[in-house]
Amino acid sequence: MFQQSLDPVAGSLGWSALVAAVPLVTMFVLLGVFRIKAHIAGLVGLVLSMLTAAFVWDMPIGQTFSAAGEGAFYGFFPILWILINALFVYKLTVATGWFEELGRVIRSISDDQRILAILIAFCFGALLESLAGFGAPVAITAAMLMAAGMKPLKAACTALLANTAPVAFGAMGAPILALAGVTTLPLDDLSAMAGRQTPFIAAIVPLLLVFMVDGKRGVRQVWPVALVAGISFGAAQFVTSNYLTVELTDVVAAIVTVGVVLGMLRLWQPKEGLPAEAPVLPQPVGAGNGVGVVGGDGGGTSNAGSNADRSNADKIARYSPGMRTFLALAPYLVIIVVFSIAQIPSVKSWLGDIGTTAFTWPGLDIANADGKELPQVFKLDHLKATGTLLLLSGLITAVLYKISPRRFVLAYRDTLVQLRWTLVTVAAVLALAYVMNLSGQTSSLGMALASTGGAFALLSPVVGWLGVAITGSDTSSNSLFGVLQVTAAREAGLDPLLMAAANSSAGVLGKMLSPQNLSVAVAAVGLLGAEGTLLRKLIGWSLGLLVFLTAIIYLQSTDVLGWMVP
């Protein structure tokens, strides 16, 4: 059995933490400073983490490779399984011409890009986050924003920034449920505490989205609806998480906010708009050589794509306006219906019973620094997995769109080709995360921050932020650092409930910077290799929001806002 050590470097926790940070710092510097492609930066970080695990933390070579294998497998399933099928659904709409029709439907609600950023990225993205999570909201909303005429890079940034406030309660409350599971703190209290932190972020995110889309002019002209959207979402999140149920927090918040915003737009409109441009379609992989999905059945030259576009337009024009609207929205309506049915308790239980496999990951025999064995049981959900439900949604969409089996297969193949480097990136980063976790490097980092005593109230949110930046998942970060937060809080004389919730609430602000989610965004908008550009554009927003929420959490640890702790 391999036993983790917290201070393998000269018996010093501080030096050990600095060494543990090397793989992460290297990866982010390669991405943001040297503009190295994400898959290369991820692989370099993985190699460094494995070398550090084996030669500094003394993890056996075989177990080091097994830990990397478990992380890579988790990267493929469920995370990449979600991304592949989310992007596949989008490609079906491109192949049939319904993507452009969706843009016309969206612009019929409003042709103001600032309003659309609030409705699509913030409201609809929150609904997708509540049902799916794990990158699907970013992939889908970024594509929808492009359909509405937003430039690809701006669409990616907007989708990533919007994917913050709902994440703590995303995937039907999975992050809070995981946090309650590892800390044994009461679920209702954790839900209530997180619901008294994330609304502060929700209240200002729509304003930030408007600023990102149109700068100061946008804020001056659209601040009323942005403020109403943020306050509505935050208030609904607070009420649902405190008095109803954690699982439906984001569902209720998203639906309430959409209703409020649409109602307000009937009474008020900005004096000047920011009209959407023509829809922007990412260049499909293989365009011009007969394999791109826009090229219909995949045969011939690039002219075949143009002919297919005209044919699609002719077919769409035959439908009545009402039916065109329904079919343009059909993929997303199907997703909502499929996921909602899958969350019905009896259906969810049935899917789990017939489609779940749990097994011990081979080659790992690990104990933590206290000598407690860490069993490595891998739970594989076949049927109720988000990616599987998205694939089912794609099959239903294909039937509605009357897509032939050949075009269906070609679209799926092109999706895999487009994501080939994203697959490498996500697998490498998750492998890195697992190696760091299982070798003890992550614990050394966390305990070094926790050793600061009362100042830990300022550093606790940073731990959660770091966890999500590494893993790309608030659920994973809560599983990783939840116990550490509670232990450190008790040692420092702080409220364990407050610090545990802070891990989840502040963690969401690191999601926009995680290499996995950057890869999801650039793949969705057809800007492969632009992860470093996105990182540089978003890091200021992420750190600024982290400072803001850290101040709130610190005040909640004092008499100033201490009354907010349940």
Side-chain angles (χ1 to χ4, degrees):
M1 179 177 288
F2 163 66
Q3 184 170 349
Q4 297 173 349
S5 172
L6 295 177
D7 54 358
V9 181
S12 167
L13 182 61
W15 283 112
S16 300
L18 287 175
V19 173
V22 169
L24 297 175
V25 172
T26 301
M27 182 173 62
F28 283 114
V29 168
L30 288 175
L31 265 177
V33 178
F34 293 102
R35 306 186 183 188
I36 301 296
K37 291 182 178 179
H39 65 277
I40 296 176
L43 289 171
V44 170
L46 171 59
V47 171
L48 288 176
S49 71
M50 295 178 70
L51 291 173
T52 305
F55 297 107
V56 180
W57 268 260
D58 293 326
M59 189 178 196
I61 296 292
Q63 296 208 43
T64 301
F65 275 94
S66 182
E70 184 179 11
F73 188 82
Y74 181 78
F76 278 101
F77 199 95
I79 295 174
L80 284 168
W81 182 233
I82 295 169
L83 173 59
I84 289 168
N85 291 302
L87 190 60
F88 169 62
V89 173
Y90 156 68
K91 278 190 170 291
L92 290 179
T93 67
V94 173
T96 54
W98 287 105
F99 183 77
E100 294 182 65
E101 182 65 24
L102 173 65
R104 285 189 283 272
V105 171
I106 293 171
R107 289 191 296 274
S108 70
I109 300 172
S110 173
D111 65 350
D112 191 320
Q113 289 191 37
R114 302 162 302 187
I115 302 296
L116 295 177
I118 294 172
L119 285 172
I120 296 174
F122 186 68
C123 298
F124 187 62
L127 185 59
L128 289 173
E129 180 66 37
S130 70
L131 297 171
F134 292 101
V138 171
I140 292 172
T141 59
M144 291 179 71
L145 288 171
M146 285 199 306
M150 191 175 288
K151 293 293 181 64
L153 188 62
K154 185 176 288 186
C157 288
T158 302
L160 284 165
L161 179 58
N163 192 223
T164 48
V167 170
F169 297 98
M172 305 307 289
I176 302 298
L177 291 170
L179 188 61
V182 298
T183 62
T184 69
L185 293 172
L187 174 62
D188 291 343
D189 289 345
L190 281 172
S191 174
M193 188 67 251
R196 301 177 191 192
Q197 294 171 342
T198 56
F200 289 102
I201 296 297
I204 62 173
V205 164
L207 286 168
L208 300 182
L209 293 176
V210 168
F211 183 83
M212 176 174 282
V213 173
D214 194 30
K216 294 180 180 178
R217 181 186 67 172
V219 175
R220 284 198 308 270
Q221 295 177 357
V222 189
W223 70 264
V225 68
L227 197 60
V228 165
I231 292 175
S232 298
F233 191 93
Q237 213 176 36
F238 166 76
V239 171
T240 309
S241 62
N242 276 264
Y243 304 111
L244 298 177
T245 172
V246 60
E247 289 88 351
L248 296 179
T249 295
D250 281 345
V251 175
V252 173
I255 292 174
V256 167
T257 306
V258 167
V260 170
V261 170
L262 292 179
M264 181 175 180
L265 290 175
R266 289 180 175 273
L267 304 174
W268 176 91
Q269 291 282 342
K271 293 181 179 179
E272 298 179 27
L274 182 65
E277 302 173 9
V280 182
L281 298 178
Q283 181 69 15
V285 176
N289 61 11
V291 300
V293 295
V294 174
D297 291 327
T301 66
S302 58
N303 288 332
S306 299
N307 293 334
D309 290 342
R310 288 193 293 271
S311 175
N312 287 332
D314 291 340
K315 291 177 181 177
I316 291 172
R318 296 172 189 169
Y319 291 100
S320 65
M323 182 57 70
R324 286 202 301 270
T325 298
F326 168 74
L327 289 173
L329 295 171
Y332 310 103
L333 297 175
V334 167
I335 288 172
I336 292 172
V337 170
V338 167
F339 277 89
S340 298
I341 293 174
Q343 295 302 327
I344 297 172
S346 59
V347 176
K348 186 175 183 179
S349 176
W350 178 72
L351 290 174
D353 290 341
I354 67 172
T356 299
T357 300
F359 59 93
T360 301
W361 190 266
L364 290 174
D365 193 7
I366 297 173
N368 64 16
D370 295 327
K372 181 180 179 182
E373 187 175 357
L374 303 175
Q376 296 303 306
V377 178
F378 197 101
K379 186 178 180 182
L380 190 62
D381 289 320
H382 310 304
L383 298 182
K384 69 177 183 179
T386 299
T388 304
L389 296 178
L390 284 169
L391 178 59
L392 175 61
S393 301
L395 289 168
I396 296 172
T397 298
V399 172
L400 290 173
Y401 286 171
K402 301 177 182 178
I403 297 174
S404 68
R406 185 167 184 266
R407 293 183 74 187
F408 185 91
V409 172
L410 283 173
Y412 208 91
R413 182 197 66 180
D414 284 348
T415 302
L416 294 174
V417 172
Q418 180 177 338
L419 290 176
R420 61 192 183 280
W421 295 121
T422 303
L423 303 181
V424 176
T425 300
V426 174
V429 172
L430 264 297
L432 175 152
Y434 268 67
V435 169
M436 291 189 65
N437 296 348
L438 296 178
S439 65
Q441 296 175 64
T442 302
S443 296
S444 296
L445 273 171
M447 287 305 297
L449 292 172
S451 65
T452 56
F456 184 67
L458 292 171
L459 294 176
S460 171
V462 179
V463 174
W465 179 88
L466 181 65
V468 178
I470 296 171
T471 66
S473 164
D474 201 38
T475 302
S476 298
S477 177
N478 286 346
S479 301
L480 179 63
F481 286 135
V483 174
L484 182 149
Q485 293 274 18
V486 170
T487 302
R490 286 172 176 155
E491 291 179 358
L494 298 168
D495 192 307
L497 183 68
L498 173 63
M499 296 298 100
N503 192 83
S504 190
S505 300
V508 304
L509 302 175
K511 191 166 186 178
M512 68 181 84
L513 301 182
S514 70
Q516 306 95 295
N517 286 286
L518 293 175
S519 296
V520 167
V522 299
V525 300
L527 293 177
L528 298 183
E531 291 91 346
T533 302
L534 277 181
L535 176 65
R536 290 189 297 276
K537 286 184 173 294
L538 290 168
I539 190 168
W541 297 100
S542 179
L543 293 176
L545 286 169
L546 178 62
V547 170
F548 169 71
L549 188 59
T550 297
I552 299 294
I553 292 169
Y554 177 75
L555 292 175
Q556 289 177 333
S557 73
T558 69
D559 292 338
V560 178
L561 294 179
W563 52 270
M564 297 184 69
V565 180

